[in-house]
Amino acid sequence: MNSSGPRFRFAPSPTGYFHVGGARTALFNWALATSTGGTFVLRIEDTDEARNRPEWTDGILSALEWLGIDSSSPTFEGPYFQSSYADEHLRAADRLFENGYAYYCEMSPDDIAQRAKAEGVTGYNGWSRDLGLEPGPGRVLRFKVPEGSTIVRDQVRGDVEFDHSVIEDFVLVRSNGTPVFNLANVVDDMSMGITNVIRAEEHLPNTPKQQMIWTALDREPPVWGHVPVLVNEQRKKLSKRRDKVALEQYRDEGILSDAMVNYLMTLGWSAGDDREILPWDEITSLFALGDVNLSPAFFDVKKLAAFNGEYIRMMSEDEFAAACDPWLPDDWDRATFAAIAPHVQPRLVTFSEVSGVVDFIFNGVEYDEASWDKVMTTDVAAPLLDESILRYSAVDNWQADNLKAILEHIMEPFGLKLGKAQAPVRVAVTGRTVGPPLFESLEVIGQSETLSRLRHARGRIST
RNA sequence: GCCCCCAUCGUCUAGCGGCCUAGGACAUCACCCUUUCAAGGUGACGGCACGGGUUCGAAUCCCGUUGGGGGUGCCA
């Protein structure tokens, strides 16, 4: 265990996907661990058997790796599994009981509800506190919340005070003998030497309870930091049911990890100047909890996309072509794609769009009827195509600039501008009205295929 | 209900008592460029929730109101 620097931790519970909010929390911890020369500890909180599947862990690891949180880095430690520390949790529970910080209670949730209703109170009211019950089947262990208040010193929000009168005697060990989150979480943090707990704001109300456990166990609580949650358009906490929260989904749609990381880091935090697109190293050196905003931030997919476009445009031609590769069908010729790639690069927001932009090159034409109706029904379409077929047949220098010059020559008698004149050719060859630059596309498609498409389209015009 | 947190353009944010006529980015709109669509360039639109204080001076400090969020489990 590396104890030379601060020890941060990321403690997700395993689920079938990796939440973008969790990604941000992980990133915050990772940035801090890196910049302080500390350690990032990964602990899988798998105590709830209902959600404990081994393959989920691989998902967490690969998601972290995608984010640049490298499990083979010396800064990284783990993964640890909470479930394998159950004995320690229970030992701590015993200590708490023996030292008078906790007591056993045999009331069931139903009992509590009934009695609370009868007495007109909201929750558990410490009814078994002084019964002196010994451990036994069906009994839970509860923490005896003392009089007074707890002040949580939070690096993001400052001091937050909780009056103990509003904190009920919470459960530490279930009636089936298993430890509850608040206990397990604290005991693990203690045994793993965690010094800094940085997590989402939803944990803030747990913090006084956890801090009481730390104190009762005679240990100095860690430094806390609660960052605001991520919300949807309705300003509700991002949820799996309503919202697109799976990191994997964004990855599969062709969001670059660098763009995702950059976007997530600048959600609720800024470098302090007017820049938002920043390399990770700079983010790391600048990031500070005190600069994190205090209000929930809307996870805006549109802005994420804008970041992604930005990152795509920053790539070199080679990087871009390589990045496109997984999104292209296997039988598409890569050299052909590379020839057109520089022209698709500024037109992409996500990589999942790439094949749709250049498919006409590889798959042949499929006419978009709206496009066809728009340009092929004009008087000039047929004669323009006739001329193009004639002139392009005679070309022996099949290059974009030459093809452009020829069309410009053809269009003169028609009194058209290039924008109008290229339209019929574009629809004939690509099937659509929009796409990559036309003459460059023709060059890549080649002379005979271009001519064949031109002739086919000409034949389709009824006149 | 109770507890806690929060409050600058539609959104993400800069601002930490005078540099603010409130800056940037996304989105939207217009124009320029142009080989369609993008990209790029220029510009426009648009905000300190409200009310009291404190101060010579408040987006910045204090209080209240309103609004939003989180929590209130033998989930994590």
Side-chain angles (χ1 to χ4, degrees):
Chain A
M1 191 195 284
N2 174 15
S3 52
S4 65
R7 292 173 61 81
F8 297 83
R9 47 78 145 180
F10 176 58
S13 55
T15 55
Y17 65 101
F18 198 88
H19 197 287
V20 289
R24 189 178 69 139
T25 304
L27 251 9
F28 282 179
N29 277 287
W30 182 247
L32 258 6
T34 313
S35 66
T36 57
T39 305
F40 174 100
V41 177
L42 174 65
R43 178 174 71 238
I44 313 284
E45 305 218 322
D46 54 354
T47 18
D48 182 7
E49 305 97 277
R51 44 170 114 160
N52 183 3
R53 298 244 224 118
E55 66 265 31
W56 295 157
T57 300
D58 295 336
I60 291 173
L61 255 12
S62 67
L64 289 176
E65 189 182 332
W66 187 68
L67 292 170
I69 300 177
D70 176 11
S71 59
S72 66
S73 155
T75 305
F76 189 101
E77 192 179 299
Y80 297 110
F81 294 88
Q82 183 158 79
S83 58
S84 55
Y85 293 87
D87 289 352
E88 261 185 78
H89 306 153
L90 264 14
R91 268 201 297 279
D94 288 344
R95 269 180 63 199
L96 255 9
F97 174 65
E98 278 153 23
N99 294 335
Y101 290 109
Y103 61 92
Y104 284 93
C105 167
E106 58 184 350
M107 292 178 77
S108 71
D110 279 352
D111 296 337
I112 293 167
Q114 276 180 26
R115 182 145 177 195
K117 197 178 173 191
E119 296 185 13
V121 296
T122 30
Y124 181 75
N125 215 3
W127 291 298
S128 310
R129 243 189 198 212
D130 304 312
L131 264 34
L133 261 29
E134 290 298 312
R139 291 178 180 174
V140 299
L141 182 68
R142 287 182 181 276
F143 189 83
K144 193 185 292 179
V145 177
E147 299 274 298
S149 66
T150 291
I151 292 175
V152 172
R153 298 199 187 283
D154 189 294
Q155 287 194 308
V156 177
R157 1 187 54 97
D159 288 358
V160 184
E161 183 168 3
F162 294 85
D163 195 306
H164 289 1
S165 64
V166 299
I167 301 175
E168 63 178 38
D169 289 349
F170 54 94
V171 173
L172 296 169
V173 179
R174 299 185 184 94
S175 55
N176 69 2
T178 58
V180 150
F181 165 72
N182 276 319
L183 206 222
N185 193 266
V186 167
V187 173
D188 286 345
D189 282 344
M190 284 181 6
S191 52
M192 292 170 195
I194 301 304
T195 57
N196 299 61
V197 174
I198 312 306
R199 64 221 318 190
E201 189 187 0
E202 62 207 72
H203 286 288
L204 186 53
N206 283 323
T207 311
K209 301 179 186 174
Q210 299 182 172
Q211 193 162 296
M212 282 187 257
I213 300 177
W214 277 86
T215 308
L217 255 14
D218 204 25
R219 292 277 302 264
E220 200 62 34
V223 172
W224 312 101
H226 291 90
V227 302
V229 295
L230 261 26
V231 297
N232 63 19
E233 215 151 4
Q234 285 76 240
R235 300 244 122 223
K236 299 286 185 202
K237 190 169 72 159
L238 246 36
S239 91
K240 185 191 183 180
R241 291 196 59 152
R242 288 187 305 258
D243 312 304
K244 203 167 110 183
V245 298
L247 195 69
E248 293 88 346
Q249 199 175 345
Y250 290 100
R251 182 192 61 199
D252 294 346
E253 282 174 7
I255 296 291
L256 258 7
S257 63
D258 285 349
M260 177 60 89
V261 167
N262 194 156
Y263 176 64
L264 249 15
M265 289 303 290
T266 52
L267 247 193
W269 173 82
S270 89
D273 52 26
D274 284 339
R275 295 173 307 148
E276 323 187 281
I277 304 289
L278 303 168
W280 174 255
D281 286 347
E282 200 170 349
I283 290 176
T284 303
S285 65
L286 259 25
F287 184 78
L289 280 179
D291 296 333
V292 173
N293 261 336
L294 271 17
S295 8
F298 170 46
F299 184 79
D300 187 355
V301 178
K302 278 220 185 86
K303 187 145 185 178
L304 205 214
F307 269 53
N308 204 55
E310 202 79 40
Y311 271 89
I312 287 176
R313 275 167 255 130
M314 287 194 297
M315 294 173 125
S316 71
E317 281 185 20
D318 288 347
E319 284 169 340
F320 176 72
C324 287
D325 192 69
W327 271 271
L328 302 174
D330 291 340
D331 60 338
W332 286 11
D333 180 64
R334 299 300 130 124
T336 304
F337 176 75
I340 199 72
H343 300 289
V344 344
Q345 188 167 356
R347 265 159 262 259
L348 241 46
V349 169
T350 61
F351 284 96
S352 59
E353 301 163 350
V354 68
S355 64
V357 175
V358 295
D359 59 346
F360 67 90
I361 294 177
F362 303 92
N363 291 348
V365 204
E366 196 175 306
Y367 301 117
D368 168 63
E369 290 306 328
S371 297
W372 180 277
D373 292 343
K374 189 177 168 195
V375 315
M376 293 308 209
T377 53
T378 61
D379 294 341
V380 293
L384 223 31
L385 288 181
D386 285 334
E387 275 300 298
S388 304
I389 293 165
L390 192 65
R391 304 292 187 131
Y392 281 166
S393 308
V395 170
D396 48 29
N397 174 21
W398 192 259
Q399 286 186 332
D401 51 354
N402 190 30
L403 300 174
K404 181 187 177 197
I406 290 170
L407 192 71
E408 281 171 333
H409 179 69
I410 293 173
M411 74 191 188
E412 263 175 48
F414 293 91
L416 294 174
K417 293 193 170 184
L418 226 207
K420 287 280 184 198
Q422 54 96 46
V425 177
R426 177 181 289 281
V427 172
V429 177
T430 75
R432 317 179 262 266
T433 216
V434 302
L438 180 62
F439 305 106
E440 287 74 2
S441 299
L442 299 187
E443 180 180 323
V444 171
I445 289 171
Q447 187 167 19
S448 72
E449 175 65 14
T450 297
L451 286 168
S452 133
R453 293 184 189 187
L454 252 17
R455 291 195 182 100
H456 182 266
R458 177 61 186 89
R460 198 169 185 259
I461 297 177
S462 34
T463 51

